[in-house]
Amino acid sequence: IDKLCIDQTTADSKAAGVASVAVVLERSTRMVALLSASYLQRLWCVYELALFTRDKPDGLLLLSLDWPSSLHPFKRAQLTHEERELLSTFSCR
């Protein structure tokens, strides 16, 4: 949300956007998250996902920016070792 929906041109516009994230997520019915290898390592990104999925667990679509990945249309259905490791060690706490 921060890269696409928050005006980053001034400190004031950025602060106003950050202050409204909770309202934007509350009023949204769906969220598409474009994941990179470092996405879940950034607290702000995890916060956005956790806040949204707390009330709307079925409204989230995760898409990978790292190709090939488990979401690549020509890849086997199984996760790679790296993908399994990332998911098995992920924690919001």
Side-chain angles (χ1 to χ4, degrees), residues 10 15-16 21 23 27 31 33 35-36 43 48 52 56 59-61 65-66 72 76 78 83-87 89:
T10 68
V21 166
V23 173
R27 293 182 181 175
M31 175 188 272
L35 303 178
S36 64
L43 181 59
E48 290 173 349
F52 181 80
K56 302 169 194 107
L60 179 63
L61 174 63
L65 293 176
D66 298 321
H72 191 285
R76 300 183 329 262
Q78 294 83 13
E83 292 166 333
R84 281 193 308 276
E85 182 69 22
L86 177 65
L87 292 172
T89 60

Side-chain angles (χ1 to χ4, degrees), residues 33-42 45 49 62-67 69 71 83 86:
L34 304 173
L35 303 178
S36 64
S38 64
Y39 188 87
L40 296 175
Q41 297 172 3
R42 295 191 305 268
C45 297
L49 290 178
L62 301 175
L63 298 175
S64 177
L65 293 176
D66 298 321
W67 300 94
S69 78
L71 299 175
E83 292 166 333
L86 177 65

Side-chain angles (χ1 to χ4, degrees), residues 6-20:
I6 294 177
D7 181 358
Q8 310 265 329
T9 55
T10 68
D12 288 340
S13 64
K14 191 184 297 187
V18 168
S20 67

